Amino acid sequence: MLVFCPILLQCNLLTPVTAFTINNISITKQYVYSVLLVCFVSVLCFLFSTYIEYRVIAFLLLVTVSVTAVLFDILPVLLAAVLSALIWDFFFIPPHFTFRVGTTEDFFLLLMYFVIALVNAVLTHKIRRVEKIAMQKEEKAKTVKLYNTLLNSLSHELKTPIATIIGATDNLQTNNVKLTPQNRHDLVQEISKATVRLNQQVENLLNMSRLDSGFIQPKKEWSDISEVIYDAVKRIEENGIQQQLVINVNPSIPLFKLDEVMLEQIIYNLLNNAVQYTPSTSRIDIMAINHADVLQVVVEDEGAGFPEAELKKVFNKFYRLKNAKPGGTGLGLSIVKGFTEAMGGIVSLENRKSGGAKFIIEIPAETSYLKNLKNE
Amino acid sequence: MSNKAIILIIDDEVQIRRLLEITLESNDYEVRMAATAKEGLMQTAIHPPDMILLDLGLPDQHGHEVLQKLRGWYTNPIIILSVQSGEEDIIKALDNGANDYLVKPFRTGELLARIRSSLRTKTIQENNPLLENGSLQIDLAARVVKKNNEVIKLTATEYNLLALLAKNEGKVLTHHYLLKEVWGPGYLNQSQYLRVFIAQVRKKIETDPNRPEFIITESGIGYRYVSKE
């Protein structure tokens, strides 16, 4: 679990729900605004009190309280309710400018005004709370679903090789007599493949959590791009691939000042992705050119390409194409994106007209044409 | 006393010790083991081994510390074992006197090759003016390099670089070390020179300079001249 934790925490799975606008206004401001609103409406009513009957004014004030109830928390709303009741009594119920109420009828009206205003406030508050709970539940359901996707993908990718290793070693230990030399050889072969796969997944997870922690700092050194590309190719070829890799780097490409280890990992992941998802007979092209102090690396394959709708999403963490065949965590390409961006570059993906995917990495970097320093 | 080379493994992980013990003993080495830095230092002091495999992540002391203490008096090869593939860490260990490094998980073949080459450097290095490696021949006395018996023209800097790497056959030399030794201390940050000259030397000595067989890149760390046994 040690490895997963930083990753999961970074997925923003645990952020609290902040869907309500009232949370964005501080409580003090809410008090001020509700008092101001009530006062504003009261002044307006007072100016026109010769034209509007005071009972109608009660309704106008009630509407005002309802508005505050929609916008604000319960306490500012209660304040608005009480304040508006007092204002109505003092300024509008005859006799004016006294809290005295002239008739029994008016007394009941005032009482009812007060009760309605309060009920209004409390009801709105309750409705809002129910809404909030519902939203939280929904949010939590989403979180749980995302968690499950992550864990499914991770546990599948980690447990498959582990299961292979356990199964094969059990066989070798307890079933040894019945196994032919060929069987034994095959089992050992499977263990070997499984460990390579397991190691690759762990490497991906570690890189991802390094990226997530923000701990990653590119170490810029003068780098020979064709050397970096050939190293990545060598590493991929050690996995025993069948596709044809074609490298095209102009020998006069300058040296670039960048983190060669990161660049190699980027190229390796792109190649690995191409190798995993293209037929064994197809060809993979790697090109590198200098574009006005921007290093451009292009990896093209002859696979099926990506559905247009998913082109943008493939760099997302743990994203896997629908119907993707097993064999990836959906981390490889997000590491490509993370590393490229850590180096100040951008990555893009398009489908080739002739079919297949085309990944383009562009990294701005200092260049040096110090080559041809002959006879020193 | 047998004449098997004695290798001391300093690693706190029982599984790794067991694995290394089996691997090394079946390849005719005599194996000693220590689970802590303290124990390792003591064993080295009492019976200095021919080589030490030192894990950097020990429970009682940091590997770098142990390495520095050992290098105070112990001159035989030390190979670092590390789970961190952080280049900084490896460069630090190499600068502190480690002869080589292996990042866990490593291949057994790789381990044995590194052990063989470190032990060989230790025994043959002195006074051997003629370094032969497959089709490549370097005559240190005459400063002449031959490929398939044909003399290869190298500039002075190219020769110095190749000779330095070849004299340390099997050992990773860091970028800094190479720059300092070949160009001088003023060139420590001029890694572009190193890149250019490595490319030039490869063009002259390698069959396919893009897939080098003699000078191998250790990404982010340095270069290694390997023997084609």
Side-chain angles (χ1 to χ4, degrees):
Chain A
M1 274 325 276
L2 210 76
V3 174
F4 304 166
C5 293
I7 299 166
L8 295 180
L9 284 176
Q10 287 296 321
C11 292
N12 290 335
L13 297 178
L14 307 171
T15 38
V17 186
T18 51
F20 301 97
T21 48
I22 49 156
N23 288 350
N24 298 335
I25 308 169
S26 75
I27 195 80
T28 336
K29 277 195 181 149
Q30 289 187 28
Y31 280 115
V32 175
Y33 289 157
S34 45
V35 168
L36 283 179
L37 192 64
V38 168
C39 292
F40 175 71
V41 173
S42 307
V43 170
L44 273 187
C45 290
F46 192 74
L47 291 177
F48 295 99
S49 57
T50 39
Y51 308 104
I52 314 171
E53 216 233 330
Y54 71 93
R55 285 175 186 150
V56 177
I57 287 171
F59 277 100
L60 289 173
L61 287 172
L62 260 186
V63 169
T64 311
V65 174
S66 305
V67 170
T68 59
V70 173
L71 295 176
F72 303 137
D73 241 347
I74 178 122
L75 289 175
V77 175
L78 287 179
L79 176 69
V82 173
L83 182 69
S84 65
L86 293 176
I87 288 176
W88 187 51
D89 180 6
F90 192 78
F91 292 98
F92 299 101
I93 300 178
H96 294 174
F97 306 112
T98 136
F99 285 111
R100 218 147 39 80
V101 177
T103 65
T104 327
E105 220 178 1
D106 282 345
F107 175 76
F108 277 116
L109 271 181
L110 178 62
L111 198 70
M112 276 192 293
Y113 176 94
F114 201 66
V115 172
I116 291 171
L118 288 184
V119 168
N120 206 337
V122 171
L123 274 185
T124 324
H125 178 73
K126 269 193 181 165
I127 290 170
R128 215 189 273 145
R129 229 178 48 192
V130 173
E131 253 179 13
K132 194 169 173 174
I133 290 168
M135 265 184 104
Q136 266 170 348
K137 262 191 192 155
E138 205 179 303
E139 203 73 16
K140 204 175 151 205
K142 268 196 217 159
T143 310
V144 167
K145 207 176 146 203
L146 187 54
Y147 256 121
N148 285 340
T149 323
L150 298 189
L151 289 179
N152 277 343
S153 152
L154 277 179
S155 57
H156 175 84
E157 277 317 308
L158 297 175
K159 290 220 165 168
T160 308
I162 293 172
T164 311
I165 295 167
I166 292 178
T169 47
D170 277 354
N171 243 316
L172 288 168
Q173 277 177 330
T174 58
N175 206 16
N176 208 1
V177 224
K178 293 184 207 153
L179 296 172
T180 65
Q182 181 62 37
N183 290 153
R184 271 195 288 273
H185 173 265
D186 289 351
L187 285 174
V188 171
Q189 205 66 21
E190 284 312 314
I191 295 173
S192 174
K193 271 192 234 161
T195 50
V196 169
R197 185 169 164 190
L198 196 57
N199 191 40
Q200 203 154 38
Q201 301 302 356
V202 172
E203 199 79 29
N204 272 341
L205 285 168
L206 288 175
N207 275 331
M208 203 69 234
S209 62
R210 267 169 77 203
L211 272 169
D212 280 343
S213 69
F215 186 60
I216 212 153
Q217 268 304 338
K219 207 178 130 210
K220 289 185 186 173
E221 284 281 358
W222 289 107
S223 309
D224 184 336
I225 300 306
S226 76
E227 188 180 38
V228 174
I229 291 179
Y230 276 94
D231 274 348
V233 167
K234 190 172 135 198
R235 260 207 306 153
I236 216 88
E237 283 173 345
E238 280 166 4
N239 297 351
I241 60 158
Q242 282 160 317
Q243 286 92 339
Q244 186 197 358
L245 296 180
V246 181
I247 303 167
N248 190 349
V249 188
N250 190 331
S252 66
I253 193 169
L255 299 171
F256 282 85
K257 199 167 191 179
L258 43 77
D259 189 316
E260 60 172 2
V261 179
M262 273 186 174
L263 180 64
E264 197 197 311
Q265 193 62 44
I266 290 170
I267 297 171
Y268 176 86
N269 281 13
L270 287 179
L271 292 177
N272 196 33
N273 183 69
V275 164
Q276 274 183 319
Y277 298 108
T278 58
S280 57
T281 50
S282 68
R283 157 184 165 150
I284 299 164
D285 278 281
I286 314 137
M287 283 155 282
I289 46 169
N290 173 29
H291 231 306
D293 286 1
V294 174
L295 170 67
Q296 198 180 62
V297 179
V298 178
V299 175
E300 290 181 308
D301 64 50
E302 294 179 329
F306 291 84
E308 286 297 324
E310 306 198 39
L311 279 177
K312 285 251 153 37
K313 296 186 204 160
V314 297
F315 295 107
N316 291 353
K317 208 181 292 177
F318 296 109
Y319 186 80
R320 307 195 60 217
L321 290 187
K322 292 174 187 109
N323 314 320
K325 65 170 186 179
T329 41
L331 278 175
L333 291 180
S334 60
I335 289 169
V336 166
K337 184 169 187 262
F339 276 11
T340 308
E341 286 173 358
M343 294 168 86
I346 46 171
V347 55
S348 54
L349 164 64
E350 53 192 62
N351 284 320
R352 297 168 74 186
K353 289 198 180 69
S354 54
K358 179 180 183 179
F359 285 92
I360 305 159
I361 303 288
E362 288 168 297
I363 301 167
E366 216 181 309
T367 54
S368 163
Y369 279 96
L370 196 85
K371 297 201 168 181
N372 312 318
L373 254 185
K374 296 269 160 63
N375 304 319
E376 231 188 84
Chain B
M1 287 292 276
S2 67
N3 50 5
K4 288 178 178 178
I6 300 169
I7 300 178
L8 171 64
I9 301 162
I10 311 179
D11 193 312
D12 61 320
E13 289 289 343
V14 165
Q15 280 196 307
I16 298 284
R17 283 206 306 271
R18 280 287 299 152
L19 176 73
L20 289 175
E21 187 187 13
I22 294 168
T23 312
L24 296 181
E25 275 182 350
S26 62
N27 279 282
D28 266 346
Y29 294 106
E30 192 179 324
V31 177
R32 307 231 173 101
M33 290 183 285
T36 60
K38 200 176 151 197
E39 207 182 308
L41 286 165
M42 210 154 72
Q43 284 207 36
T44 313
I46 300 169
H47 299 291
D50 295 304
M51 167 183 282
I52 295 176
L53 297 180
L54 173 66
D55 179 42
L56 277 187
L58 292 169
D60 51 340
Q61 277 177 52
H62 197 283
H64 289 303
E65 231 177 288
V66 183
L67 184 60
Q68 273 173 330
K69 281 184 193 165
L70 282 171
R71 273 300 176 236
W73 53 273
Y74 179 79
T75 52
N76 285 343
I78 300 176
I79 296 181
I80 294 298
L81 306 177
S82 152
V83 279
Q84 294 142 306
S85 56
E87 298 82 41
E88 310 259 336
D89 220 34
I90 291 163
I91 291 172
K92 190 174 172 192
L94 293 171
D95 285 345
N96 281 343
N99 293 61
D100 210 335
Y101 71 95
L102 281 161
V103 176
K104 292 178 193 169
F106 45 77
R107 294 283 181 186
T108 307
E110 195 71 32
L111 168 78
L112 293 172
R114 300 288 174 83
I115 290 176
R116 273 199 301 274
S117 108
S118 285
L119 286 173
R120 194 174 39 229
T121 320
K122 182 198 152 205
T123 49
I124 316 176
Q125 202 185 7
E126 299 93 33
N127 308 323
N128 190 10
L130 192 66
L131 305 176
E132 281 192 271
N133 187 6
S135 57
L136 197 68
Q137 206 183 57
I138 304 173
D139 187 337
L140 295 174
R143 292 174 70 90
V144 170
V145 179
K146 283 183 187 169
K147 171 103 193 257
N148 295 322
N149 288 322
E150 276 179 49
V151 175
I152 293 174
K153 276 191 184 166
L154 293 174
T155 66
T157 313
E158 286 168 0
Y159 173 82
N160 290 342
L161 182 60
L162 177 60
L164 181 61
L165 283 161
K167 274 189 265 183
N168 291 283
E169 183 235 291
K171 192 177 166 185
V172 208
L173 301 182
T174 62
H175 297 147
H176 267 209
Y177 181 79
L178 288 167
L179 284 165
K180 196 178 78 196
E181 296 296 316
V182 177
W183 283 272
Y187 285 81
L188 283 187
N189 293 316
Q190 306 293 319
S191 54
Q192 68 266 46
Y193 286 90
L194 185 58
R195 298 298 184 187
V196 170
F197 278 90
I198 288 282
Q200 283 175 198
V201 172
R202 276 177 177 163
K203 241 179 251 168
K204 293 182 180 178
I205 65 164
E206 302 282 0
T207 312
D208 178 357
N210 286 319
R211 298 172 188 275
E213 296 170 298
F214 295 109
I215 302 176
I216 302 297
T217 309
E218 296 285 325
S219 196
I221 294 164
Y223 292 95
R224 181 200 300 276
Y225 181 87
V226 291
S227 115
K228 298 176 71 183
E229 291 166 89

